[in-house]
């Protein structure tokens, strides 16, 4: 590879695919800053003529502020749950040698393959019986549960890399499990912790099926549901709809800007093993 | 290793603890309990429940009633159901066929050292961050026959109502799936391609093998395990495509794109036939598992052959 000529053909191909990916994103943003009349007259492929933020303001006044807030609540709670329960789990999987722990790890590995659709009917049953239907808690709990397998897998991989010497050094000091966890394991797996935080946040933010089936009223609606309803209700207000799509992306893109490395490495790891 | 032994010896001497020092930093099962209990409650038990519910009749109110094999016999007599299974498989297979070559080529290319790679991959990554809802809404808008791209590019789209005919609607579903998920698969191929030992390419170069032969004789065989992982993810993802169908086609025209996951949703949450919905959900899990196992079997992945060919 060291002295290879640049591969122009492949470069051209990837440029073509880049356009396929980029062009719709361009239309998305440019349409969202046009007035309805302008968009209607000139169509999606043209340049915006009069820049306006009107669509964004309108979206906020028609309920998207509320949906936004609900999504933030769901996301923050899901991340909090994941960050509380996954580190001790991964710590146990890495350090404990019992048969039970092995079985638990297998369970989570199998869990990776359970699609949310498979359990949505019983989930509706359980959540209704628990009196959590149409309540954000009823969305938070299953969403968090379904991000556990992936997070456990990622964090366990990170914790495996802590060398045994360090544990032995702690042992000399007579440290308890809690101290080892608190002073050694957690600080050394900071990278993994931010990876699982970003992952679970992304899943919670973009979640659709659980909110769709487990909530009903406007006060518990999240952004993805808002988008879905917006589309069916006002199918003709395209700029307003696309502005709402952009709004739903902004926090995700901000996270991406700050945590790009973490995210990309975490995803790359999926195929490596 | 010697230092380990001596340290352990020192420890053993200094602190003849009750449980032995081997127990330090080896937490008991209690530490794993919260996560496990949570997971069992919200994923494992529902998975068991879906099997139970598939033998009951329940309309969402009151309690489920045992109904024996009723749901199952009805399902296999239901032409829409059988068609939906076929459509699920079709959309999934087409998705794998489109995304695999594309993401291998792009991934291998991106694993090299191009100067513009960083910029490319930054934009390239964006569809992956978007919710399936946002992606579907965006494409639905772009493809709108009256207000979207087809109205501006008649030479390409003809009358422009792609979603109004079966082949067009299926094509759109496959395309939008590829648009959203090819970046992800590209990324895992990129990671795997970087891990291929450079020695192999150097040896091939000495033997006079060109770029194309290197690709087919080194790169592809080395990526085999990644291909399995990637394809299984595509299969499970494809069979459970739901948001995209709900927003882009609503299963239509007619039932032309009513794939199983969508039919399950319709049965359960539109017709309030939760028993039938459960049966479809269970069937879907079984089909996905079987296909994944077949992929693993056929590829020889389960025999754990060395992934480093020729070493």
């Amino acid at each position: 590879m060291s002295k290879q000529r640049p591969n122009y053909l492949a470069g051209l191909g990837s440029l073509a695919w880049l356009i396929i990916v980029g062009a719709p994103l361009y239309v998305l943003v440019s349409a969202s800053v046009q007035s309805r009349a302008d968009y209607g007259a000139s169509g999606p492929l043209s340049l915006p003529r009069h820049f306006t933020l009107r669509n964004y303001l309108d979206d906020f006044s028609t309920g998207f502020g509320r949906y936004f807030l609900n999504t933030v609540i769901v996301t923050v709670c899901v991340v909090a749950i994941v960050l509380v329960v996954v580190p001790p789990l991964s710590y146990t999987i890495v350090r404990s040698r019992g048969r039970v722990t092995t079985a638990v790890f297998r369970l989570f590995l199998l869990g990776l393959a359970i699609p949310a659709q498979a359990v949505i009917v019983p989930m509706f049953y359980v959540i209704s019986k628990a009196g959590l239907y149409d309540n954000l808690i009823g969305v938070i709990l299953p969403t968090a549960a379904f991000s556990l397998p992936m997070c456990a897998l990622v964090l366990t991989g990170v914790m495996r890399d802590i060398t045994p010497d360090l544990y032995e050094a702690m042992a000399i000091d007579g440290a308890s499990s809690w101290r080892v966890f608190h002073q050694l394991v957690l600080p050394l797996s900071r990278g993994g912790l931010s990876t699982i935080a970003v992952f679970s946040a992304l899943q919670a933010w973009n979640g659709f099926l659980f909110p769709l089936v487990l909530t009903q009223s406007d006060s518990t609606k999240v952004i993805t549901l808002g988008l879905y309803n917006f589309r069916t209700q006002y199918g003709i207000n395209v700029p307003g709809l696309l502005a709402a799509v952009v709004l739903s992306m902004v926090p995700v893109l901000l996270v991406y800007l700050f945590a790009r490395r973490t995210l990309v490495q975490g995803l790359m790891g999926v195929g490596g093993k | 290793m010697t230092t380990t032994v001596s340290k352990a010896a020192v420890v053993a001497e200094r602190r003849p603890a009750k449980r032995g020092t081997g127990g330090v930093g080896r937490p008991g099962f209690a530490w794993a309990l919260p996560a496990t209990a949570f997971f069992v409650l919200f994923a494992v038990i529902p998975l068991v429940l879906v099997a139970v519910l598939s033998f009951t009749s329940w309309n969402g109110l009151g309690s489920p009633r045992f109904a024996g094999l009723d749901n199952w016999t009805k399902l296999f007599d239901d032409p829409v159901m059988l068609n939906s299974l076929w459509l699920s498989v079709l959309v999934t297979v087409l998705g794998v066929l489109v995304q695999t070559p594309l993401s291998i080529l792009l991934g291998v290319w991106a694993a090299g050292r191009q100067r513009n790679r960083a910029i490319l991959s930054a934009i390239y990554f964006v569809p992956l961050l978007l919710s399936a809802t946002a992606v579907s809404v965006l494409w639905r808008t772009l493809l709108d026959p009256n207000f979207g791209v087809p109205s501006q590019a008649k030479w390409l789209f003809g009358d422009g109502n792609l979603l109004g005919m079966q082949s067009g609607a299926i094509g759109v579903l496959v395309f939008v799936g590829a648009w959203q998920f090819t970046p992800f698969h590209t990324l895992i191929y990129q990671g795997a391609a970087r891990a291929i030992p450079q020695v192999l390419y150097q040896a091939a170069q000495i033997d006079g093998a060109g770029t194309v032969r290197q690709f087919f004789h080194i790169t592809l065989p080395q990526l085999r395990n990644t291909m399995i992982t990637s394809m299984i993810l595509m299969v499970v993802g494809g069979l459970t495509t739901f948001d995209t169908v709900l927003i882009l086609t609503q299963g239509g025209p007619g039932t032309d794109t009513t794939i199983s996951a969508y039919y399950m949703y319709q049965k359960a949450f539109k017709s309030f036939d939760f028993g039938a919905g459960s049966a479809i959900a269970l069937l879907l899990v079984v089909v996905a598992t079987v296909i994944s196992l077949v992929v693993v079997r056929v590829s020889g992945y389960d025999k754990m052959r060395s992934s480093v060919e020729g070493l």
Side-chain angles (χ1 to χ4, degrees):
Chain A
M1 288 289 252
S2 48
K3 275 187 217 153
Q4 234 178 23
R5 282 172 293 115
N7 192 342
Y8 290 114
L9 206 66
L12 215 64
S14 55
L15 206 66
W17 183 253
L18 185 71
I19 293 170
I20 294 178
V21 169
L25 295 173
Y26 162 76
V27 173
L28 171 67
V29 176
S30 90
S32 76
V33 295
Q34 295 184 62
S35 71
R36 279 173 74 170
D38 276 359
Y39 180 85
S42 58
L45 293 177
S46 53
L47 292 163
R49 274 182 293 186
H50 311 287
F51 178 85
T52 172
L53 288 177
R54 178 95 238 147
N55 302 311
Y56 289 89
L57 298 173
D58 283 352
D59 282 346
F60 263 99
S61 63
T62 53
F64 264 83
R66 179 74 219 222
Y67 308 158
F68 209 85
L69 182 70
N70 286 336
T71 312
V72 171
I73 294 173
V74 169
T75 306
V76 169
C77 293
V78 166
V79 173
I81 293 176
V82 163
L83 285 183
V84 168
V85 302
V86 174
L89 170 75
S90 298
Y91 174 46
T92 319
I93 290 172
V94 170
R95 288 296 289 174
S96 160
R97 296 213 172 122
R99 224 179 268 163
V100 186
T101 340
T102 319
V104 166
F105 191 50
R106 290 233 176 93
L107 179 73
F108 278 99
L109 281 182
L110 283 179
L112 278 176
I114 305 178
Q117 282 100 336
V119 299
I120 194 65
V121 173
M123 193 71 80
F124 173 75
Y125 180 74
V126 170
I127 293 287
S128 308
K129 289 279 165 202
L132 292 172
Y133 179 75
D134 205 20
N135 183 329
L136 285 182
I137 298 173
V139 175
I140 291 166
L141 295 178
T143 308
F146 268 77
S147 52
L148 288 186
M150 189 64 186
C151 291
L153 196 68
V154 169
L155 199 62
T156 306
V158 171
M159 286 185 181
R160 283 235 160 86
D161 293 342
I162 300 174
T163 54
D165 290 9
L166 291 171
Y167 289 105
E168 274 147 23
M170 293 290 280
I172 295 175
D173 294 346
S176 63
S177 284
W178 168 248
R179 243 187 83 198
V180 174
F181 178 64
H182 186 65
Q183 294 186 346
L184 174 76
V185 177
L186 281 188
L188 284 181
S189 38
R190 216 173 287 155
L193 291 175
S194 50
T195 306
I196 64 170
V198 169
F199 266 118
S200 50
L202 209 60
Q203 257 189 330
W205 189 271
N206 289 336
F208 179 69
L209 187 62
F210 289 135
L212 174 72
V213 169
L214 301 174
T215 66
Q216 186 177 35
S217 51
D218 223 33
S219 59
T220 51
K221 222 165 244 163
V222 293
I223 291 186
T224 46
L225 274 188
L227 286 181
Y228 172 59
N229 285 6
F230 197 135
R231 200 201 74 65
T232 45
Q233 281 167 20
Y234 322 93
I236 306 164
N237 182 5
V238 174
L241 177 61
L242 294 183
V245 172
V246 174
L247 277 180
S248 79
M249 293 164 52
V250 169
V252 177
L253 290 179
L254 284 180
V255 170
Y256 176 48
L257 275 182
F258 289 111
R260 193 168 165 255
R261 195 163 277 270
T262 308
L263 198 65
V264 172
Q265 271 169 356
L267 287 176
M268 269 187 177
V270 174
K273 282 161 198 162
Chain B
M1 267 293 121
T2 44
T3 54
T4 316
V5 172
S6 60
K7 253 186 214 160
V10 169
V11 170
E13 209 173 32
R14 274 211 344 215
R15 289 185 62 92
K18 277 177 239 157
R19 287 178 300 156
T21 45
V24 170
R26 295 202 187 284
F29 176 66
W31 287 66
L33 204 57
T36 312
F38 193 46
F39 187 67
V40 167
L41 200 61
F42 284 98
V44 180
I45 291 181
L47 199 63
V48 176
L49 263 182
V50 84
V52 175
L53 284 174
S54 75
F55 296 104
T56 66
S57 116
W58 182 44
N59 61 7
L61 303 166
S63 296
R65 247 179 334 97
F66 182 73
L69 285 171
D70 246 26
N71 295 317
W72 291 97
T73 47
K74 266 190 229 150
L75 272 192
F76 286 103
D77 284 338
D78 180 356
V80 180
M81 171 62 210
L82 297 177
N83 194 40
S84 81
L85 264 184
W86 153 243
L87 287 172
S88 296
V89 173
L90 179 71
V91 168
T92 305
V93 169
L94 287 177
V96 173
L97 288 182
V98 169
Q99 292 177 45
T100 302
L102 203 58
S103 48
I104 290 180
L105 287 176
L106 289 168
V108 169
W109 178 78
R113 290 177 232 274
Q114 293 79 15
R115 224 178 302 151
N116 40 13
R117 212 185 52 219
I119 313 164
L120 287 186
S121 53
I123 303 174
Y124 196 61
F125 207 83
V126 173
L128 205 51
L129 301 169
L130 306 185
S131 58
T133 328
V135 169
S136 314
V137 166
L138 172 61
W139 279 102
R140 172 87 202 197
T141 314
L142 286 174
L143 293 173
D144 189 288
N146 300 313
F147 303 97
V149 177
S151 66
Q152 275 191 306
K154 287 219 160 50
W155 51 273
L156 187 62
F157 291 95
D159 80 327
N161 196 2
L162 277 182
L163 294 170
M165 53 183 178
Q166 185 177 33
S167 54
I170 287 177
V172 168
L173 287 178
V174 172
F175 174 81
V176 171
W179 189 82
Q180 194 183 8
F181 292 112
T182 304
F184 170 70
H185 296 281
T186 300
L187 202 68
I188 65 176
Y189 280 117
Q190 183 185 348
R194 280 223 187 116
I196 300 174
Q198 287 298 310
V199 202
L200 296 178
Y201 291 102
Q202 285 154 8
Q205 254 171 358
I206 293 169
D207 291 346
T211 319
V212 176
R213 278 194 61 189
Q214 286 182 24
F215 178 78
F216 281 105
H217 287 99
I218 301 173
T219 312
L220 270 192
Q222 290 284 325
L223 289 179
R224 198 180 52 213
N225 287 352
T226 313
M227 279 169 75
I228 309 304
T229 314
S230 157
M231 281 180 179
I232 290 178
L233 290 173
M234 284 179 194
V235 165
V236 175
L239 287 179
T240 55
T241 307
F242 170 73
D243 326 31
T244 324
V245 176
L246 179 66
I247 294 167
L248 276 170
T249 69
Q250 310 225 280
T255 54
D256 282 353
T257 57
T258 300
I259 66 172
S260 296
Y262 182 72
Y263 195 49
M264 181 272 290
Y265 171 78
Q266 265 196 328
K267 274 277 177 204
F269 297 98
K270 294 289 163 203
S271 322
F272 301 106
D273 189 348
F274 287 92
S278 301
I280 303 174
L282 193 62
L283 196 63
L284 211 58
V285 176
V286 172
V287 170
T289 313
V290 168
I291 293 185
S292 299
L293 287 178
V294 168
V295 171
V296 167
R297 249 289 143 73
V298 168
S299 63
Y301 191 53
D302 57 335
K303 289 181 200 113
M304 284 296 164
R305 282 190 283 178
S306 166
S307 64
V308 187
E309 202 90 24
L311 275 186

